[in-house]
Amino acid sequence: MQLHISPSLRHVTVLPGKGLKEFIKVKVASRRVSYRMLFYSLLLFTFLLRFVFVFTAVDTIDGHHNKCSTIGCLGKKIGPRILGRKLEPNVPEVIYRILDEPTEKDEVEGRSDIPQTLEEFMTEVKEGGYDAKTFAIRLREMVILMEQRTRTAKIQEYLYRHVASSSIPKQLHCLDLRLANEHTNNAQARLQLPSAELVPALVDNSYFHFVLASDNVLAASVVATSLVRNSRRPNKVVLHIITDRKTYYPMQAWFSLHPLSPAIIEVKALHHFDWLSKGKVPVLEAMEKDQQVRSQFRGGSSAIVANNTDKPTVVAAKLQALSPKYNSVMNHIRIHLPELFPSLNKVVFLDDDVVIQTDLSPLWDIEMNGKVNGAVETCTGEDKFVMSKRLKSYLNFSHPLIAKNFDPNECAWAYGMNIFDLEAWRKTNISLTYHYWVDQNIKSDLSLWQLGTLPPGLIAFHGHVHVIDPFWHMLGLGYQENTSFPDAESAGVIHFNGRAKPWLDIAFPQLRPLWAKYVNFSDRFIKGCHIRAS
């Protein structure tokens, strides 16, 4: 078809375009139809053609392979909307109804006729000539079976990780025994730490004071080595190591035989602190009660795993709550820092599963603005799995005592690398608040929170936290492997919080080298206990 418009716009000629001489001639009365109206009509006609084309294309993209004309497809799409009707769903209603039915506990238990793979299922569907209802029933059974198997496998994985992380590896046990024997037989392993001329530095506030509480000699050695090696002024570094009675001699032997001069290392056991060994200490009493309640309330790992109603992530959290770490005095002792170090004004507390990768002296230049605890917030950042923690992640807001006093959406913060202004702390009731809430949790059968020291810490330091840059503390290297090596390498302090500790076989292999680089695997004690890089 050909369209001819006269120069004066008074005549429009339409030719059929088939070689015929006949034509249709349209006389346009200038007094009735304006040229502008005719021009706009042609534009509208062109637009409608494009509109029809777009609808046809969308129809094809949506997956409708049935043949229909352009106008037919357009009517198919627009018609129901004009008439107020909705398009029929592609999936029959019976499939929705069957798949939406509640799952029975023993619905697929013991059955051997359910397809085990997608290939088996498709073969059965093709050969059986199923209708929609039968198809939905078989699909539902297969999905339920796969869900149950996945849940069982996940729980087994969490149980094995719990056992692996809770037990003392034989290599670490060997290291303690060899060092204890060395302490007995070698005078060099019994040297006073620090030497007498350096003792005044232990209470000198012109030094950078770090505190590490640990009963793991290998872990403590990595923290100390990485701290000193990356310090610009190691001669101003004082590291106070607090350990328990059984680990004191191995810890002293290690640091006596592996000095980190010019840094100053102090090793003390809890029984060396007079105030902690005299009378009743709230944190020790709370730990004893907590252990008693936990053993009765939880029923042990076997009872947790046997619960068929909990999701695997809930089972993992309950297993983690059984970890000895959460009832360890090494984990709770940080709440007594002002009493442990009465002469110091400021300290940086380090967990034993961290690695220092930069000079930490700038932490002393951070203005705390009267706050007690300098910490990294854990509700912001690119890693949503790690940096998405708010108070509701740790506290049980279904309990009225928690719901009444706290905001579930308030940002949480991290333990593991904290700046503590001890002068400001001594002006508060933080320690008393901590003990009060630990006692309340015990009285409520551990229903206020599940895990050990962070939840009561979040409560006790509420309103006393100064937020510091996330560069100083990267979390999560012990419970998720999505952290890339370059990102972890660029952080000031990395924290292997979680079960996959870098000294265990379950550590994530791509992240473990960041920790292992500070272990001398040729050392006679390390080599003799078969502690290897991987």
Side-chain angles (χ1 to χ4, degrees):
M1 181 180 292
Q2 297 179 2
L3 181 67
H4 295 281
I5 303 175
S6 67
S8 62
L9 295 179
R10 289 181 178 273
H11 296 85
V12 177
T13 303
V14 181
L15 296 177
K18 296 182 180 180
L20 299 174
K21 295 182 179 180
E22 293 83 11
F23 62 91
I24 301 171
K25 196 170 185 178
V26 181
K27 177 81 173 178
V28 181
S30 59
R31 289 176 294 181
R32 294 188 179 181
V33 181
S34 67
Y35 309 141
R36 183 176 297 176
M37 182 181 297
L38 177 61
F39 181 70
Y40 287 156
S41 298
L42 290 172
L43 288 180
L44 178 61
F45 179 70
T46 305
F47 171 76
L48 287 175
L49 286 176
R50 294 188 177 185
F51 184 69
V52 170
F53 172 77
V54 169
F55 262 91
T56 305
V58 171
D59 188 71
T60 303
I61 292 172
D62 283 344
H64 298 284
H65 300 292
N66 54 311
K67 296 181 179 180
C68 64
S69 66
T70 301
I71 301 299
C73 289
L74 180 61
K76 180 181 175 182
K77 284 185 168 291
I78 299 179
R81 294 182 175 89
I82 295 176
L83 297 175
R85 298 198 307 268
K86 294 182 178 179
L87 293 173
E88 291 297 323
N90 293 329
V91 181
E93 184 64 30
V94 65
I95 294 182
Y96 286 125
R97 186 174 65 253
I98 291 174
L99 295 180
D100 200 38
E101 290 177 359
T103 304
E104 298 294 334
K105 181 180 179 182
D106 302 326
E107 186 172 339
V108 298
E109 187 174 349
R111 292 181 54 182
S112 59
D113 63 320
I114 300 174
Q116 304 296 304
T117 65
L118 179 61
E119 184 179 0
E120 288 183 20
F121 175 72
M122 291 306 299
T123 301
E124 184 178 298
V125 169
K126 292 175 182 178
E127 294 178 353
Y130 292 156
D131 57 13
K133 180 177 180 180
T134 308
F135 174 86
I137 291 173
R138 299 298 284 169
L139 178 62
R140 169 189 165 84
E141 292 172 346
M142 184 178 176
V143 170
I144 291 174
L145 179 64
M146 295 304 173
E147 282 183 346
Q148 290 182 357
R149 289 182 175 178
T150 301
R151 180 184 184 278
T152 301
K154 273 289 182 185
I155 290 176
Q156 287 297 321
E157 177 191 354
Y158 291 139
L159 179 61
Y160 295 151
R161 284 185 173 273
H162 166 69
V163 173
S165 62
S166 301
S167 306
I168 300 176
K170 62 181 181 180
Q171 294 93 335
L172 298 188
H173 186 61
C174 166
L175 184 62
D176 283 352
L177 292 177
R178 284 177 175 264
L179 289 170
N181 182 66
E182 193 74 13
H183 186 275
T184 302
N185 299 317
N186 185 353
Q188 289 294 319
R190 298 192 298 271
L191 294 176
Q192 179 183 344
L193 293 176
S195 57
E197 65 272 15
L198 297 176
V199 168
L202 300 179
V203 293
D204 188 341
N205 283 292
S206 66
Y207 285 78
F208 305 123
H209 292 269
F210 298 87
V211 178
L212 168 66
S214 177
D215 58 0
N216 184 329
V217 175
L218 184 61
S221 72
V222 170
V223 175
T225 303
S226 63
L227 171 66
V228 176
R229 189 180 296 179
N230 289 293
S231 176
R232 292 180 180 176
R233 290 179 284 175
N235 60 309
K236 300 294 289 184
V237 170
V238 178
L239 177 61
H240 306 266
I241 300 176
I242 304 173
T243 190
D244 55 15
R245 187 187 294 268
K246 68 178 177 58
T247 315
Y248 172 67
Y249 294 125
M251 192 77 76
Q252 185 188 35
W254 177 268
F255 285 101
S256 295
L257 298 173
H258 302 82
L260 293 171
S261 300
I264 300 170
I265 309 293
E266 177 191 30
V267 178
K268 292 185 74 173
L270 289 172
H271 64 277
H272 293 152
F273 294 94
D274 293 338
W275 69 271
L276 198 58
S277 60
K278 295 179 181 178
K280 295 183 177 181
V281 180
V283 70
L284 300 180
E285 289 185 322
M287 284 173 51
E288 185 177 353
K289 293 178 183 177
D290 179 83
Q291 192 170 18
Q292 295 172 357
V293 174
R294 208 172 279 272
S295 62
Q296 299 171 4
F297 178 69
R298 295 294 180 197
S301 58
S302 58
I304 294 173
V305 173
N307 189 333
N308 292 323
T309 59
D310 286 339
K311 294 180 179 179
T313 51
V314 176
V315 171
K318 289 184 177 180
L319 287 173
Q320 191 172 359
L322 286 180
S323 174
K325 168 187 174 181
Y326 294 108
N327 197 45
S328 167
V329 67
M330 295 295 101
N331 211 31
H332 285 270
I333 202 63
R334 74 190 85 195
I335 202 64
H336 289 294
L337 286 175
E339 295 95 334
L340 291 170
F341 301 100
S343 301
L344 298 182
N345 299 333
K346 182 181 289 188
V347 299
V348 169
F349 188 89
L350 301 169
D351 277 354
D352 64 2
D353 53 357
V354 305
V355 176
I356 293 89
Q357 303 185 128
T358 191
D359 176 38
L360 297 187
S361 60
L363 295 176
W364 267 258
D365 298 328
I366 294 176
E367 178 55 54
M368 298 281 283
N369 298 318
K371 302 293 185 181
V372 174
N373 178 7
V376 169
E377 282 188 324
T378 56
C379 68
T380 57
E382 295 181 1
D383 192 335
K384 298 300 181 184
F385 184 62
V386 176
M387 304 298 284
S388 61
K389 303 295 189 296
R390 300 182 182 272
L391 293 191
K392 62 184 177 182
S393 305
Y394 301 99
L395 305 178
N396 177 20
F397 278 87
S398 63
H399 196 289
L401 191 60
I402 296 294
K404 178 182 177 182
N405 290 280
F406 305 102
D407 176 6
N409 293 313
E410 186 172 340
C411 193
W413 46 266
Y415 262 155
M417 200 296 301
N418 301 84
I419 312 165
F420 288 116
D421 187 331
L422 301 184
E423 278 190 306
W425 190 336
R426 295 184 184 101
K427 300 174 184 178
T428 69
N429 59 351
I430 288 174
S431 299
L432 293 176
T433 302
Y434 182 93
H435 295 310
Y436 169 81
W437 281 96
V438 168
D439 193 51
Q440 290 299 310
N441 192 38
I442 292 172
K443 289 179 179 178
S444 65
D445 287 337
L446 308 182
S447 61
L448 302 186
W449 63 80
Q450 290 186 344
L451 305 181
T453 58
L454 181 55
L458 293 172
I459 294 174
F461 287 100
H462 190 262
H464 298 285
V465 177
H466 176 75
V467 179
I468 62 176
D469 193 287
F471 163 79
W472 294 111
H473 191 182
M474 175 179 276
L475 299 154
L477 277 70
Y479 66 83
Q480 66 97 16
E481 56 183 335
N482 295 329
T483 303
S484 70
F485 184 91
D487 286 345
E489 194 175 32
S490 64
V493 176
I494 53 175
H495 193 175
F496 288 85
N497 56 313
R499 292 188 183 90
K501 301 300 184 189
W503 53 84
L504 299 176
D505 291 336
I506 60 174
F508 301 124
Q510 76 276 18
L511 299 176
R512 192 172 190 266
L514 294 168
W515 178 87
K517 66 188 290 186
Y518 295 102
V519 179
N520 179 8
F521 292 98
S522 63
D523 179 84
R524 64 187 179 97
F525 295 103
I526 299 294
K527 195 173 181 178
C529 289
H530 306 288
I531 299 173
R532 298 182 176 87
S534 59

